[in-house]
Amino acid sequence: MEKTISQEKGKLPERFLRDMELLLGREEYERYLKAFSQEKIQGLRVNTGKLSPGAFAALCGKSLTPVPWAANGFYYHQDPDASWEPAKDPYYYAGLYYLQEPSAMAPASFLPVSPGDKVLDLCAAPGGKATELGARLGGQGIL
């Protein structure tokens, strides 16, 4: 059985890490390893088909920071000792927001989609970009 690196680096197999170092080069590889010790960035995207981002921020009562490139995206901080679990919140189940890594919000945010457009989504599952594009179509057009 192949050895793995320490917990801090995500228990990745040594062979994978060697391959990554060859692929990235030493300097980029070091930055890659440092990324494993950085705080996880978490985000959510408000379903504008149900309410505005401002209305959601006021309703949820949580500390949210806007994502600069996504008008309906917010960063949130998950405190391990806090009781709020975004994936178990009733607002999540009601479809008021979608949990999405902020960088994944960029493609749909920059795509010029308007009601009546025809959009072909060729991204992979689970449908985060498609739900945003669908909301921007406003029930008019094809996704």
Side-chain angles (χ1 to χ4, degrees):
M1 189 157 146
E2 192 165 347
K3 294 180 186 176
T4 59
I5 62 170
S6 70
Q7 179 79 19
E8 295 80 36
K9 294 186 180 99
K11 294 186 177 180
L12 296 172
E14 287 184 18
R15 180 174 177 195
F16 173 79
L17 292 170
R18 284 192 306 269
D19 289 348
M20 288 303 292
E21 185 174 9
L22 287 171
L23 178 69
L24 298 173
R26 189 70 190 158
E27 187 177 325
E28 183 74 18
Y29 177 71
E30 290 300 324
R31 288 193 300 265
Y32 171 74
L33 291 180
K34 279 185 178 179
F36 287 101
S37 61
Q38 294 175 346
E39 184 179 349
K40 182 179 176 182
I41 297 172
Q42 299 180 92
L44 60 85
R45 183 178 40 76
V46 175
N47 179 351
T48 56
K50 296 197 176 207
L51 76 171
S52 72
F56 174 76
L59 177 68
C60 81
K62 307 299 177 201
S63 177
L64 302 173
T65 304
V67 172
W69 54 86
N72 58 335
F74 292 96
Y75 295 103
Y76 68 88
H77 178 72
Q78 184 66 46
D79 185 349
D81 299 325
S83 62
W84 183 56
E85 294 184 50
K88 295 181 179 179
D89 191 280
Y91 294 145
Y92 174 74
Y93 286 103
L96 299 187
Y97 64 89
Y98 184 86
L99 296 174
Q100 188 172 37
E101 204 280 332
S103 68
M105 297 177 195
S109 295
F110 295 128
L111 193 63
V113 173
S114 301
D117 285 349
K118 296 174 184 167
V119 181
L120 176 60
D121 175 10
L122 296 175
C123 300
K129 294 166 192 74
T131 57
E132 170 62 9
L133 296 171
R136 291 187 36 214
L137 287 172
Q140 302 173 36
I142 298 172
L143 174 59

